[in-house]
């Protein structure tokens, strides 16, 4: 089957989907209006809430946008989750809350795909491996391009065979969850080698993600063969993003990041804090059970402005993130990328 084409993105800048608060209708609209591709994040929301957000976005902007959906993953070990619950219970108690119920869930996957096949956004991207074949078929039948996230050349070959129209190539530098097929042993390839290795196995358009923090980074991935650059962390401090204030402030600090399962049970890159330091060695591979287990604890920490118990997702270039309006950021990234391309000509 011929791949469905990319939507027009004059600036080549995609604002990554960021579930759990940061992605908002206002952010997607501002990015789209500036000539980028905005994304809504369907993760952790109901199918009805996703439909409502799509409606609000369409009422605000006529620009194309994408929606990102999680792929269901297998359940983890119940006994490992119980042991982890014992370890984190005192931390919840210290914040005056009880731990949540560590349930397994498919995040309403099929219902969201059905809703999106009806609403037909410009793109539906998936994180956490290959979605069920019916999901891809349903979206294709509605004419909706499907982007699959990959973190290794093996992922890329599998995603191409599964009918992807483009690949979101996520390097090890990236903030947030590892989006590919491999967890609990995530592939650790940096973005530049990953782009080159993925290109050996497929001709599909590549959307490069991970550690891109400025226009030079955008230029670098375009020169490395990507069609588009997808940035997440760079947008976290824009006023349109729904980032927790304590998280937005911490991004500006010179501090390291680490890849940890401590907060959700799935590997994700976050700013180092007390929780990552004390819990990363013990956290089981059990997503989303650990997400639901620690959710009340993290919500309490967020409300209290406590950055030590909160998951503060961040890519390696997080100090480059600026508190500027998202539209201005998109325009500046594109202008700086053009300048960097011209300067690099030889
Ligand atoms: C706060 C945050 C939330 C994220 N949530 C999602 C998500 O819901 N779905 C997804 O596919 N990727 C998600 N990601 C990963 C991004 O799609 C992207 O791979 C990453 O942001 C790129 O690296 P960068 O943050 O260094 O730009 C998230 C990233 C961050 C920082």
């Amino acid at each position: 089957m011929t791949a469905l084409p990319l939507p027009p993105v004059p600036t080549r800048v995609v604002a990554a989907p960021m579930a759990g608060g940061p992605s908002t209708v206002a952010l997607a609209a501002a990015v789209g209006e500036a000539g980028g591709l905005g994304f809504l994040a369907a993760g952790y929301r109901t199918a009805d809430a996703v439909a409502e957000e799509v409606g609000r976005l369409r009422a605000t902007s006529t620009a194309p946008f994408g929606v990102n959906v999680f792929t269901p993953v297998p359940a983890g070990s119940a006994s490992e989750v119980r042991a982890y619950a014992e370890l984190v219970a005192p931390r919840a108690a210290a914040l005056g809350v009880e731990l949540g119920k560590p349930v397994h869930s498919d995040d309403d996957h099929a219902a969201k795909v059905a809703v999106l096949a009806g609403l037909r956004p410009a793109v539906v991207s998936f994180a956490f491996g290959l979605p069920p074949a019916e999901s891809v078929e349903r979206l294709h039948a509605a004419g909706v391009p499907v982007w699959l996230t990959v973190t290794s050349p093996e992922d890329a070959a599998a995603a191409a065979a599964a009918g992807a129209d483009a690949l979101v190539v996520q390097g090890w530098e990236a903030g947030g969850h590892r989006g590919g097929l491999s967890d609990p042993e995530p592939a650790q390839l940096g973005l530049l080698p990953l782009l080159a290795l993925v290109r050996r196995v497929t001709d599909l358009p590549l959307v490069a993600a991970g550690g891109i923090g400025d226009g030079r980074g955008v230029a670098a991935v375009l020169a490395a063969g990507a069609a588009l650059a997808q940035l997440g962390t760079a947008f976290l401090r824009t006023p349109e993003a729904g980032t927790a204030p304590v998280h937005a402030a911490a991004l500006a600090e010179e501090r390291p990041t680490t890849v940890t399962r401590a907060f959700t049970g799935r590997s994700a890159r976050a700013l180092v804090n007390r929780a990552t330091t004390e819990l990363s060695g013990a956290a089981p591979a059990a997503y989303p059970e650990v997400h639901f287990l620690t959710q009340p604890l993290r919500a309490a920490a967020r409300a209290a402005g406590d950055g030590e118990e909160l998951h503060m997702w961040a890519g390696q270039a997080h100090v480059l993130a600026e508190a500027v309006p998202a539209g201005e950021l998109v325009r500046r990234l594109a202008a700086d990328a053009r300048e960097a391309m011209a300067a690099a000509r030889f």
Side-chain angles (χ1 to χ4, degrees):
M1 201 187 103
T2 333
L4 295 169
L6 295 173
V9 186
T11 60
R12 307 284 194 100
V13 172
V14 179
M18 295 190 283
S23 282
T24 62
V25 167
L27 179 58
V31 168
E33 291 297 315
L37 184 69
F39 255 89
L40 295 175
Y44 311 125
R45 280 176 158 58
T46 63
D48 285 350
V50 174
E52 186 271 335
E53 279 207 323
V54 168
R56 262 193 302 131
L57 179 51
R58 285 195 164 138
T60 318
S61 166
T62 54
F65 61 89
V67 181
N68 176 259
V69 176
F70 292 167
T71 287
V73 295
S77 146
S79 63
E80 286 180 15
V81 174
R82 271 195 301 277
Y84 192 60
E86 278 180 28
L87 187 69
V88 294
R91 310 174 87 91
L95 284 164
V97 293
E98 288 194 1
L99 289 173
K101 215 167 171 304
V103 288
H104 191 69
S105 141
D106 73 352
D107 201 48
D108 227 0
H109 177 88
K112 285 175 192 172
V113 169
V115 159
L116 291 170
L119 292 171
R120 305 178 69 232
V123 172
V124 170
S125 74
F126 289 93
F128 306 164
L130 304 182
E134 315 82 82
S135 300
V136 177
E137 282 159 18
R138 192 145 190 189
L139 290 163
H140 278 168
V144 179
V146 170
W147 294 2
L148 301 182
T149 307
V150 302
T151 54
S152 70
E154 295 78 20
D155 282 9
D165 299 290
L167 302 181
V168 180
V169 177
Q170 188 197 42
W172 184 237
E173 305 91 334
H177 283 116
R178 306 300 303 147
L181 279 72
S182 54
D183 209 66
E185 298 298 335
Q188 300 189 10
L189 289 161
L191 183 55
L192 282 182
L194 183 58
L195 284 168
L197 296 173
V198 166
R199 186 46 88 215
R200 291 175 76 221
V201 301
T202 177
D203 292 331
L204 286 173
L206 306 181
V207 181
I212 305 169
D214 58 12
R216 288 184 177 136
V218 173
V221 297
L222 297 181
L228 299 172
Q230 175 167 296
L231 294 76
T233 303
F235 285 93
L236 282 174
R237 295 184 66 217
T238 62
E240 293 89 348
T243 312
V246 63
H247 182 184
L251 290 167
E253 295 169 10
E254 294 281 353
R255 63 200 263 184
T257 62
T258 186
V259 174
T260 180
R261 287 197 293 264
F263 301 110
T264 66
R266 187 177 170 93
S267 303
R269 186 173 294 281
L271 294 176
V272 168
N273 63 5
R274 191 174 59 223
T276 65
T277 304
E278 295 178 2
L279 297 172
S280 293
Y287 178 89
E289 295 91 315
V290 173
H291 161 80
F292 287 117
L293 181 77
T294 65
Q295 195 172 38
L297 195 169
R298 291 181 287 121
R302 179 184 168 130
D306 173 358
E308 293 306 317
E309 295 293 332
L310 187 64
H311 62 291
M312 297 192 290
W313 299 152
Q316 287 180 335
H318 63 88
V319 286
L320 299 180
E322 285 184 73
V324 295
E328 187 183 321
L329 178 58
V330 169
R331 283 187 288 269
R332 199 199 292 172
L333 287 167
D336 290 352
R338 281 194 198 99
E339 203 178 301
M341 283 285 195
R345 191 155 294 146
F346 70 95

